[in-house]
Every structure is written in structure tokens, then in C-alpha cells.
């Protein structure tokens, strides 16, 4: 095998994989046994394709597993070491967390929140964000977290879709020395949404905000509640959360996850991937607004009673060495971050990591986008000093937990820079062609998942049909992930990026259709087309083309207005890098925008077959737009 990177932790458990391969359902049952159940399930998997229900008949609770299990053994174990951007610190033990979670759970109950009700959470990366998720889980309310970089319009769409009764937010959040006005954004988002009954506002930045009749102050209201609250005994299949994510249509999809199956997947993978030990200090840089934060900041580490560092702010602020200083300050042993962050750190040069003490690190993880082999090697050498395994984990909001990853907590295998290695035990996947036939080793194809797995989404919130169409209609009985991949002759998987119209910009998932609908919603715009092109740091950058309505003339001001419009309707994470005015878009004769063509032109590549193109002049215009940039 062509790899010089056989770095493991000495674990060599061959039984686990063997057990999975013998009977994957029984195997997942044995993993579910590691959780706490109020009542054991009677059926491991009900597979009413394509709907999976895991551990049916079982009763459990996510918050009980994340808190009470550790509080009973080790109440003073540190759960969260929080640091704010300005250097503020807070340490919360498992016992502290349980008290805070119980108070908030009681507060939600007081406001009339019942099992199955939705609660929207729009908070910065502060301990109260973790507390919010667990308080909902404790009483069986379904949490739906919205990343604090989304705009009022995005929040409104999500709150409206989930029909949340209560919103948990803060006055503001901190980012790069600025204050993000979260409460004001919520006020704007929920105007006229009468079903939103209450908003609980955490005073975090102490920026002045206006209080309305719906608002309750966190400190006054929540702190006065009882500090104990029994965890509801919930069905294993009870929904734990909705998390909205971008797809190929204009409207984000509400991915719905259950309880028992999801927790089993997250518990097992967290152990296999990170080899978590009692003495570890874990640091995942993901925001809880994304799935990585749900699974591997909240549920995974807490179910294992781990100690973790949580940080609010930019990893390179106020100095580009911020992250390395934090690792050294807290003796972080496990770091889990993104290729975008690594590319940024790499640009800052080796002196910064070299001049900080990183000797505590023993495991390094990455997630969210393909990692370039040179970045992988830099991570290995400069950050890991040639002694830490690099764990490249592939998964999706929909999969709930990691699906492809080296597993140093389980086995030692040679690592290949740029490959996420092999599927985790109990997960079966293939790389197939357009017709669903397996492609030969080393050939590019589409990644599919062949069998149901415990972390898989239950459905899309309120839309079973869409769930079937998006994931289960391209191939019969196989889950279509939407990613290109290669399986090499050693059965290692190489992920090659999205095969559909989904972008990964700085690790954030955005749909081209979502960006196009945002642009088209502007009064000056008749049509829009969006594509992504490779970007040195962010992975992909957003390129937009706009056809204006008759009579509207293009100018610099309008360009700026349109960029601002996208920021306002989706959020700053969706800011286009380029915006070009054209008079027509390259389309097929049946009217489909040829994004492939836009992308090829933007990258100076051969544009290939254009026989289906409706009007060749559109291509010349796009070419001219790029020529102008050079
Ligand atoms: C991409 C993030 C390559 C992929 C957990 C997937 C990756 C999408 C990797 C899901 C990886 C995630 N290597 N690509 N290790 N991890 N992706 O839902 O395209 O935000 O389909 O979940 O990210 O993004 P999502």
C-alpha cells in the first residue's frame, strides 16, 4: 500500500468489524447497549423502505445520556471550558450543566412547551447553546438550531416551516471584535408570526435591545426555576431535532433526526474516531449551528463524559495564533476542525504553531470538505509533529454521524493523505455509475449507502415525499449522498466533492438554487445563475451571473446592492465573491441553466459539448465577463 503514514494508538480490535460484518443489525444493537435505556427495545430495526426506525419499543432520553449518566459517577468532572473572544472564561462541570439544563427545561414547561413541540435556538457559541439543546431533549421538545450567521429572512423561513412556539436567543454574539445583533434579527424575523409565543433572551453582550411582550429575560426567568427536572422517557424514534440544510432546491430542507438510533451512531463513532479517554481535553471548532456541533460538540462528547473546550469567536482573532494559544493554554489533546480553517492557518505560516506548545495533542480530525493532500501533510507534520493520526471524517447532516473515517480508537491502519479511509463498522457503501452499477477500483462515481444505518435521518420535516425523491429516487434501495467518490484498490474512499448543485463555501453548505432565488427576489433581477469555483482557502467561492429586468441598467451601485441583498436574505456566509451582469444565461434548449458551462468558463477550462446550448452568444458574454477580471 502506498502510504508512509501508519500512525495509530496501538488499538487493534478486529472483533468489532467482524461482528458488524456478520450481522450488522445485531452489531448496532450491541452498540445501543452502551447507552442508558429506561426500557429496552423489542425490535432493532423496522425498515419500511426508505423509512428506518431503530430500536423500536425502547425508551431513552438524550439529555439523560449526556448528563445524568456522568453526574451519577463523576459530578465534578469538567464538561465545558468556555472561552469568549475577549478572553472571558467559564468552566461548567457535569453537575453545573445538569442544573442549568433542568432550570431551562422547567422554564420551557412553564411556557407551555410540550413533548413534540419545536423550539428554535439562535444563540452564539456560549454554554447556554448546549444547555438549550439538552433542555429541549430533556422534555422531548424538538430543537431546531439556526446558525447565528443566518439573516432574518432565513430565520423566518425556518421558524415558519417548523412552527416553533418558543425561540431562545441572546442580545448579541461576538465575532471579530464586533457584536452580532441576534435579538434584533429575531425581532425582524418573527414579525407577524403569531404562533411564536415566547422569546427567551440571554443577556450576553449586554447590548441594549428592545423588549416586547413576548420576551423573557433568561436571567430573571430561567434562573428562578427549580433546579431538577426528570428526563422524559421518550420513544427511541421520538424526534430529537430538525436541522435545516441546503439542497438542490431553493428552500432549505429540515433534516429530522430521531433519538435512540442517532445517539447510538454518535456514541459509537465518537469512541472509535477519537479514542476518548477520561484525561482528554477535546476541542471541536465547529459551531453548534451545524451538524458537526450537534453530534460532536453536544451529544458525542457529553455522552462520553468528556471535557471539552468551547470557544466563541474567530479562531484567528485577535491574533492569528489564537487557536494555538488556546491549545497550549488548556492542554488540548484532540482537535477536530475543518480544511478551510487549516488552509487559513497554513497561510499564516509555520512560526505561529511552532512557537506555541502543542505537545499535548494526540489526535487530529477534519470534517466538512475534501482535504487537500498538502494540507493534510501540513496538519500531520507541523501541528501533529508526525505523531498524531489525522482523522478525515466524511459524513452529512443527513447521516447524523461519521460514515467514513480512520478509527484510531479501534484499529491502526495506514493513512493516506486526502482519503477518509474506510466506512465505519456497520456502514455499507459503494461507488456506482449513473445506472447504479459498481465502478471498478480507482474510477470516479457516485457515493451510495447500501443499508440503513442508525444515525440516518427519519425524514424531511413535514415532507416524506421530498425525502424519498431527494435521497431514494436516483437509485433503487440505495441512499444517494450527492457526492462524487473514488474507491481505490485498497478499498480506501477518496471524496471528490458534490455531484449536485450544492456548494461548500468555507465548509458551509449552500445551494446554488437558494442563492439564485435570493437574487431573483430582488426587484431589478430577471434571472440569475450561480456556480462555485475552487478557492485557495474557502474551498469554493460563489460566482453569480445576473440578467436584469428590461429597462434596468447595470452599475456598480446595483452590484453592491445585489451582494447586500444576498447577505440580507440568506446571511453573510452566502456573500457572492463575484457578480457579473449578462443579457442572457447559457441554457439548454429545454431551459435549464448550464452551470457546468459557467464553471468551466470561470476556470478557463475546455467547455466541452455545447450542442444542447440554446444560444451560443450567451457563452461569449460569460467569457467576456471573466476576461474583464484578468
Ligand atoms: C462534504 C458536514 C469530503 C460532502 C458534516 C458532504 C466532505 C457534505 C467531508 C455534507 C470530508 C463532509 N471529505 N467532503 N471529510 N465531510 N463533506 O451536511 O460534500 O454540512 O456531502 O455535513 O460535506 O455537508 P454537511
Amino acid at each position: 500500500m502506498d502510504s508512509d503514514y501508519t500512525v495509530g494508538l496501538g488499538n487493534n480490535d478486529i472483533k468489532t468489524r467482524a461482528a458488524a460484518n456478520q450481522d450488522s443489525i445485531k452489531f448496532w444493537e450491541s452498540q445501543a447497549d452502551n447507552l442508558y435505556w429506561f426500557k429496552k427495545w423489542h425490535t432493532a430495526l423496522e425498515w419500511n423502505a426508505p423509512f428506518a426506525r431503530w430500536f423500536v419499543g425502547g425508551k431513552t432520553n438524550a439529555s439523560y445520556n449526556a448528563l445524568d449518566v456522568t453526574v451519577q459517577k463523576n459530578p465534578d468532572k469538567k464538561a465545558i471550558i468556555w472561552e469568549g473572544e475577549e478572553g472571558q472564561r467559564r468552566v461548567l462541570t457535569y453537575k453545573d450543566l445538569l442544573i442549568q439544563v433542568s432550570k431551562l427545561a422547567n422554564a420551557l414547561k412553564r411556557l407551555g412547551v410540550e413533548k413534540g413541540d419545536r423550539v428554535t435556538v439562535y444563540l452564539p457559541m456560549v454554554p447556554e447553546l448546549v444547555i438549550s439543546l439538552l433542555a429541549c431533549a430533556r422534555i422531548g421538545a424538538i430543537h431546531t438550531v439556526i446558525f447565528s450567521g443566518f439573516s432574518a429572512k432565513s430565520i423566518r423561513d425556518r421558524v415558519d416551516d417548523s412552527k416553533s412556539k418558543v425561540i431562545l436567543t441572546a442580545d448579541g454574539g461576538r465575532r471579530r471584535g464586533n457584536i452580532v445583533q441576534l435579538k434584533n434579527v429575531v425581532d425582524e424575523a418573527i414579525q407577524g408570526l403569531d404562533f411564536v409565543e415566547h422569546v427567551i433572551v440571554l443577556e450576553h453582550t449586554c447590548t441594549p435591545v428592545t423588549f416586547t411582550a413576548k420576551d423573557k429575560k433568561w436571567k430573571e426567568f430561567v434562573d428562578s426555576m427549580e433546579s431538577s427536572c426528570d428526563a422524559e422517557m421518550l420513544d427511541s424514534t421520538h424526534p430529537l431535532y430538525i436541522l435545516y440544510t441546503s439542497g438542490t432546491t431553493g428552500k432549505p430542507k429540515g433534516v429530522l433526526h430521531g433519538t435512540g438510533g442517532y445517539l447510538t451512531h454518535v456514541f459509537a463513532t465518537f469512541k472509535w474516531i477519537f479514542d476518548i479517554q477520561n484525561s482528554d481535553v477535546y476541542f471541536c471548532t465547529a459551531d453548534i449551528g451545524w451538524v458537526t456541533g450537534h453530534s460532536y460538540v453536544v451529544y458525542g462528547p457529553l455522552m462520553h463524559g468528556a471535557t471539552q473546550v468551547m470557544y466563541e469567536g474567530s479562531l484567528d482573532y485577535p491574533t492569528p495564533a489564537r487557536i494555538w494559544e488556546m491549545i497550549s493554554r488548556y492542554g488540548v489533546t484532540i482537535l477536530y476542525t475543518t480544511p478551510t480553517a487549516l488552509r487559513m492557518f497554513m497561510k499564516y505560516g509555520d512560526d505561529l504553531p511552532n512557537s506555541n506548545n502543542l505537545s499535548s495533542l494526540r489526535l487530529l480530525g477534519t470534517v466538512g470538505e475534501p482535504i487537500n493532500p498538502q494540507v493534510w501533510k501540513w496538519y500531520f507534520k507541523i501541528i501533529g509533529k508526525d505523531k498524531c493520526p489525522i482523522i478525515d471524517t466524511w459524513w452529512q447532516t443527513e447521516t447524523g454521524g461519521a460514515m467514513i473515517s480512520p478509527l484510531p480508537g479501534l484499529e491502526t491502519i495506514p493513512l493516506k493523505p486526502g482519503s477518509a479511509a474506510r466506512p465505519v463498522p456497520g456502514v455499507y457503501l459503494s461507488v456506482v455509475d449513473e445506472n447504479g452499477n459498481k465502478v471498478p477500483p480507482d474510477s470516479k462515481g457516485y457515493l451510495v449507502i447500501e443499508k440503513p444505518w442508525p444515525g440516518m435521518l427519519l425524514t424531511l420535516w413535514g415532507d416524506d415525499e421530498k425525502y424519498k425523491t431527494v435521497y431514494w429516487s436516483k437509485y433503487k434501495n440505495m441512499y444517494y449522498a450527492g457526492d462524487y467518490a473514488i474507491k481505490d484498490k485498497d478499498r480506501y474512499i477518496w471524496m471528490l466533492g458534490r455531484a449536485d448543485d450544492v456548494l461548500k463555501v468555507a465548509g458551509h453548505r449552500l445551494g446554488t438554487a437558494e442563492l439564485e432565488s435570493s437574487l431573483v427576489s430582488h426587484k431589478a433581477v430577471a434571472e440569475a445563475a450561480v456556480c462555485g469555483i475552487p478557492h485557495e482557502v474557502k474551498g469554493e467561492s460563489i460566482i453569480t451571473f445576473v440578467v436584469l429586468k428590461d429597462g434596468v441598467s447595470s452599475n456598480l451601485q446595483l452590484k453592491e446592492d445585489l451582494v447586500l441583498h444576498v447577505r440580507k436574505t440568506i446571511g453573510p456566509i452566502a456573500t457572492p465573491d463575484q457578480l457579473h451582469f449578462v443579457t442572457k444565461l447559457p441554457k439548454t434548449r429545454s431551459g435549464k441553466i448550464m452551470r457546468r458551462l459557467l464553471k468551466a468558463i470561470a476556470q478557463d477550462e475546455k467547455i466541452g459539448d455545447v450542442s444542447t446550448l440554446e444560444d451560443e452568444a450567451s457563452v461569449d458574454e460569460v467569457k467576456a465577463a471573466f476576461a474583464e477580471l484578468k
Side-chain angles (χ1 to χ4, degrees):
M1 193 182 291
D2 50 351
S3 167
D4 303 327
Y5 300 94
T6 308
V7 184
L9 304 167
N11 292 315
N12 242 326
D13 165 0
I14 48 170
K15 286 195 201 129
T16 299
R17 264 189 204 276
N21 292 339
Q22 204 172 30
D23 183 337
S24 63
I25 295 177
K26 247 205 188 123
F27 167 75
W28 282 119
E29 282 193 276
S30 69
Q31 298 303 315
D33 274 333
N34 295 326
L35 304 185
Y36 180 84
W37 295 86
F38 298 110
K39 186 174 162 234
K40 188 144 174 156
W41 58 92
H42 53 70
T43 308
L45 171 64
E46 255 178 37
W47 179 228
N48 178 14
F51 299 92
R53 285 156 55 87
W54 285 88
F55 311 120
V56 181
K59 298 261 186 203
T60 186
N61 183 291
S63 140
Y64 191 94
N65 274 283
L67 298 171
D68 306 51
V69 167
T70 297
V71 169
Q72 284 154 22
K73 289 186 295 209
N74 198 356
D76 299 323
K77 174 96 195 262
K78 287 179 191 154
I80 297 177
I81 303 170
W82 177 82
E83 188 171 298
E85 205 176 57
E86 292 170 344
Q88 316 90 306
R89 309 254 166 92
R90 282 167 71 187
V91 177
L92 284 95
T93 64
Y94 276 83
K95 192 169 98 199
D96 297 335
L97 262 189
L98 180 56
I99 292 172
Q100 298 300 326
V101 166
S102 302
K103 286 189 171 194
L104 182 60
N106 286 326
L108 292 173
K109 281 206 234 173
R110 177 75 58 85
L111 296 179
V113 176
E114 290 175 2
K115 194 160 96 180
D117 285 345
R118 276 78 57 210
V119 172
T120 289
V121 184
Y122 184 64
L123 279 166
M125 276 292 278
V126 291
E128 283 73 12
L129 177 49
V130 178
I131 291 164
S132 299
L133 271 63
L134 297 174
C136 291
R138 199 156 190 91
I139 60 170
I142 304 171
H143 57 75
T144 157
V145 182
I146 304 178
F147 174 59
S148 55
F150 278 115
S151 68
K153 166 83 171 58
S154 296
I155 300 169
R156 187 182 180 84
D157 292 347
R158 287 158 172 78
V159 171
D160 194 27
D161 189 72
S162 63
K163 296 280 179 296
S164 291
K165 230 183 194 172
V166 172
I167 298 186
L168 305 175
T169 190
D171 47 6
R174 290 197 178 83
R175 186 98 193 149
R176 291 201 166 275
N178 297 318
I179 291 185
V180 188
Q181 306 285 339
L182 302 174
K183 166 69 165 70
N184 291 352
V185 174
V186 168
D187 286 345
E188 188 186 333
I190 60 166
Q191 254 178 38
L193 299 184
D194 294 339
F195 56 82
V196 178
E197 293 171 17
H198 304 282
V199 178
I200 304 184
V201 187
L202 178 77
E203 285 162 297
H204 173 55
T205 52
C206 297
T207 16
V209 292
T210 6
F211 276 87
T212 69
K214 286 185 181 180
D215 300 337
K216 295 251 172 318
K217 289 187 180 168
W218 192 298
K219 205 162 177 36
E220 270 170 33
F221 183 64
V222 180
D223 287 3
S224 64
M225 295 287 149
E226 270 283 323
S227 56
S228 85
C229 171
D230 284 344
E232 282 278 328
M233 297 186 196
L234 301 168
D235 286 340
S236 170
T237 53
H238 183 73
L240 178 60
Y241 66 84
I242 306 172
L243 186 56
Y244 287 89
T245 189
S246 298
T248 52
T249 56
K251 206 173 144 244
K253 307 171 293 199
V255 169
L256 186 71
H257 278 293
T259 304
Y262 170 80
L263 294 179
T264 298
H265 192 131
V266 170
F267 185 96
T269 49
F270 190 75
K271 177 80 186 153
W272 298 333
I273 293 172
F274 298 112
D275 181 50
I276 196 78
Q277 307 291 332
N278 194 34
S279 53
D280 274 316
V281 179
Y282 169 84
F283 183 17
C284 171
T285 65
D287 193 290
I288 294 171
W290 309 109
V291 75
T292 305
H294 281 61
S295 300
Y296 298 116
V297 174
V298 182
Y299 294 109
L302 295 179
M303 281 193 291
H304 281 278
T307 296
Q308 68 178 312
V309 173
M310 179 179 187
Y311 172 59
E312 181 198 8
S314 281
L315 294 168
D316 61 339
Y317 187 88
T319 90
R322 179 70 185 249
I323 182 162
W324 314 126
E325 290 164 6
M326 284 180 32
I327 288 171
S328 147
R329 179 149 55 242
Y330 301 113
V332 170
T333 57
I334 303 171
L335 175 67
Y336 192 29
T337 190
T338 62
T340 291
L342 291 169
R343 287 187 292 258
M344 174 180 81
F345 300 145
M346 206 173 147
K347 272 192 107 174
Y348 287 135
D350 300 352
D351 283 355
L352 299 178
N354 284 343
S355 54
N356 281 279
N357 180 5
L358 306 182
S359 60
S360 53
L361 288 171
R362 66 181 195 96
L363 274 181
L364 302 172
T366 157
V367 62
E369 327 146 56
I371 180 162
N372 336 43
Q374 70 275 25
V375 178
W376 193 105
K377 288 178 187 161
W378 180 85
Y379 200 18
F380 185 78
K381 187 166 189 296
I382 304 298
I383 308 307
K385 315 289 183 217
D386 295 329
K387 67 177 174 54
C388 308
I390 303 287
I391 317 150
D392 178 5
T393 58
W394 177 89
W395 55 295
Q396 309 179 300
T397 305
E398 293 86 342
T399 69
M403 301 293 275
I404 312 175
S405 173
L407 303 170
L410 193 66
E411 60 200 9
T412 301
I413 59 164
L415 302 173
K416 298 190 190 190
S419 165
R422 294 181 184 149
V424 307
V427 164
Y428 299 88
L429 43 81
S430 277
V431 180
V432 300
D433 64 16
E434 238 1 281
N435 302 316
N437 300 316
K438 288 189 185 167
V439 300
D442 295 326
S443 317
K444 179 173 169 180
Y446 301 99
L447 187 85
V448 292
I449 306 170
E450 295 166 312
K451 287 187 187 178
W453 66 99
M456 78 184 261
L457 67 167
L458 297 177
T459 185
L460 293 177
W461 176 251
D463 206 341
D464 287 349
E465 282 312 306
K466 191 164 174 190
Y467 165 72
K468 287 190 213 159
T469 324
V470 174
Y471 308 105
W472 301 93
S473 65
K474 188 170 169 81
Y475 300 112
K476 206 168 167 243
N477 296 329
M478 293 195 289
Y479 169 92
Y480 172 64
D483 275 37
Y484 285 125
I486 286 176
K487 198 189 263 194
D488 72 13
K489 54 187 185 322
D490 300 318
R491 291 178 291 112
Y492 278 48
I493 313 273
W494 299 76
M495 299 306 304
L496 306 176
R498 297 291 303 196
D500 53 10
D501 292 320
V502 170
L503 309 180
K504 272 276 161 153
V505 182
H508 304 324
R509 188 164 153 181
L510 292 164
T512 50
E514 193 182 348
L515 283 146
E516 286 162 6
S517 7
S518 157
L519 284 163
V520 174
S521 71
H522 189 281
K523 61 180 186 316
V525 177
E527 279 185 293
V530 173
C531 71
I533 60 166
H535 184 276
E536 207 190 336
V537 176
K538 292 190 293 183
E540 269 189 300
S541 62
I542 304 171
I543 312 293
T544 57
F545 296 87
V546 166
V547 178
L548 294 173
K549 282 188 183 148
D550 280 349
V552 181
S553 52
S554 59
N555 57 50
L556 209 59
Q557 183 60 47
L558 182 57
K559 207 179 227 186
E560 283 171 17
D561 287 352
L562 290 175
V563 170
L564 202 67
H565 179 74
V566 175
R567 289 174 66 95
K568 276 211 79 170
T569 48
I570 304 180
I573 53 166
T575 310
D577 290 281
Q578 292 177 25
L579 191 140
H580 304 285
F581 293 116
V582 289
T583 58
K584 45 181 125 29
L585 296 171
K587 284 189 194 158
T588 61
R589 288 196 192 98
S590 58
K592 269 188 141 174
I593 297 170
M594 294 176 81
R595 296 193 187 88
R596 166 185 70 80
L597 204 80
L598 294 173
K599 199 169 173 148
I601 300 170
Q603 294 180 84
D604 255 345
E605 281 173 1
K606 283 214 186 84
I607 55 177
D609 180 20
V610 288
S611 54
T612 53
L613 192 69
E614 187 193 39
D615 181 351
E616 281 194 31
S618 59
V619 170
D620 297 336
E621 240 193 304
V622 173
K623 279 186 180 163
F626 283 109
E628 235 173 68
L629 288 178
K630 287 187 186 147

